Amino acid sequence: MMRNRLAAIRFGGPAEMAVMVLLAWLALVSIPIWFAPMGLSWDALNHHIYLGWMAQHSRLDQDFLAAGYQTLTYPYLYWPVYKLAASGAGPQLAGAVLASLHVITVPAVWLIARACMPGTSAFDAAMRAMAVLLAFLSGVMLSQLDSSSNDLLAASPLVWAVALSLEALRPERVGARRSLLLLSGLLAGVSVAFKLSNGPIAMLMPLLWIFAGGGIRERLTNTALACLCTLAGCLMAYGHWGWQLWTRYGNPIYPFYDAAFTPLRAMQGWTP
């Protein structure tokens, strides 16, 4: 009887995703609460909290490399760490809050799993759940749950970019295909702004975008527009920070590739 009832249910919709997100949130927050409360690592004491402070109150004109060259790292994803430390949050609460932020990636991982296993049976739903579970059971992922590192948050837009590009391939989403690809491109650019090392992976996104469309002309158009959105997303997310670095160092990604910006500084009249 139970098997017949499960067979009659069509899985794979928003309800399944919502259940997956809820279960993932409960699992993620239980780790810092019950097993591994968040600690203050060397990185947290050296620059994570400081960068969060800088995100709220820019200090480039007051401090000189207060946390070494890490001072110049994109600071805004560290704001939650700074606020939790400044408010005196305990290790369990701080860990639970930061773990909750990682739940934003769960729907994207579920969408990727559905693209690989699109069926509507209970077996397909179980396989998608296992895929999401395996994605969050890697050693890299688990090691982040008791630390203040922002690597997972920085990767979230890129995971969503992949998920939306796969969503655009579904026949049911033909009408929203271009919108999904443009949003995918935008998020890919945001991920590069969050962490420049995401750039090489973002550069591979056109290999997914090119498959979404009817004829070759539509595919090329969609891919070109998504690439433009990638550039726009990066500029929007990184623009404020990049402008601060440019006005003080003449290099929006300082200290990287500083020699490449020497001619541009010379054109602007900068002198050593």
Side-chain angles (χ1 to χ4, degrees):
M1 180 68 70
M2 180 64 68
R3 181 178 298 178
N4 292 336
R5 289 181 179 177
L6 287 175
I9 299 175
R10 291 183 62 84
F11 294 91
E16 181 187 327
M17 179 196 288
V19 170
M20 196 70 249
V21 170
L22 177 60
L23 292 177
W25 176 74
L26 291 173
L28 289 176
V29 299
S30 70
I31 293 174
I33 291 177
W34 298 105
F35 302 108
M38 197 190 86
L40 290 175
S41 65
W42 183 89
D43 284 336
L45 296 173
N46 180 60
H47 62 275
H48 289 178
I49 296 174
Y50 176 81
L51 286 172
W53 184 24
M54 182 181 287
Q56 183 166 330
H57 307 287
S58 179
R59 303 187 58 81
L60 286 175
D61 57 346
Q62 301 180 57
D63 302 331
F64 180 72
L65 299 182
Y69 281 111
Q70 297 288 357
T71 302
L72 309 172
T73 304
Y74 190 81
Y76 304 109
L77 295 184
Y78 289 110
W79 183 81
V81 175
Y82 161 71
K83 292 302 291 185
L84 288 167
S87 64
Q92 282 84 6
L93 175 60
V97 171
L98 295 180
S100 296
L101 295 179
H102 302 321
V103 177
I104 192 174
T105 312
V106 174
V109 175
W110 182 85
L111 288 174
I112 295 172
R114 187 176 66 174
C116 300
M117 181 70 70
T120 58
S121 68
F123 174 79
D124 297 314
M127 291 301 99
R128 287 190 288 268
M130 288 297 295
V132 175
L133 178 64
L134 288 174
F136 285 88
L137 278 180
S138 71
V140 174
M141 169 67 197
L142 294 176
S143 68
Q144 302 291 309
L145 294 179
D146 63 345
S147 76
S148 54
S149 174
N150 74 345
D151 294 82
L152 294 177
L153 281 180
S156 296
L158 192 55
V159 178
W160 269 104
V162 173
L164 293 176
S165 65
L166 294 176
E167 188 73 4
L169 296 175
R170 298 181 67 207
E172 302 93 327
R173 306 306 295 269
V174 172
R177 178 178 291 157
R178 178 163 293 179
S179 298
L180 289 169
L181 292 176
L182 296 184
L183 184 55
S184 173
L186 193 72
L187 290 174
V190 170
S191 74
V192 177
F194 283 176
K195 212 170 191 65
L196 297 179
S197 57
N198 287 332
I201 304 176
M203 290 176 62
L204 298 177
M205 290 301 299
L207 297 178
L208 284 176
W209 298 331
I210 196 67
F211 286 103
I216 186 63
R217 182 175 181 178
E218 181 185 357
R219 295 186 182 197
L220 291 175
T221 300
N222 288 341
T223 301
L225 291 174
C227 288
L228 289 176
C229 284
T230 301
L231 179 61
C234 184
L235 291 176
M236 285 190 299
Y238 193 80
H240 180 64
W241 180 245
W243 177 253
Q244 292 185 67
L245 294 183
W246 166 256
T247 56
R248 289 170 175 81
Y249 301 100
N251 178 351
I253 56 173
Y254 187 79
F256 303 109
Y257 303 106
D258 193 55
F261 291 92
T262 300
L264 186 57
R265 288 196 294 267
M267 291 174 57
Q268 297 293 319
W270 286 58
T271 57

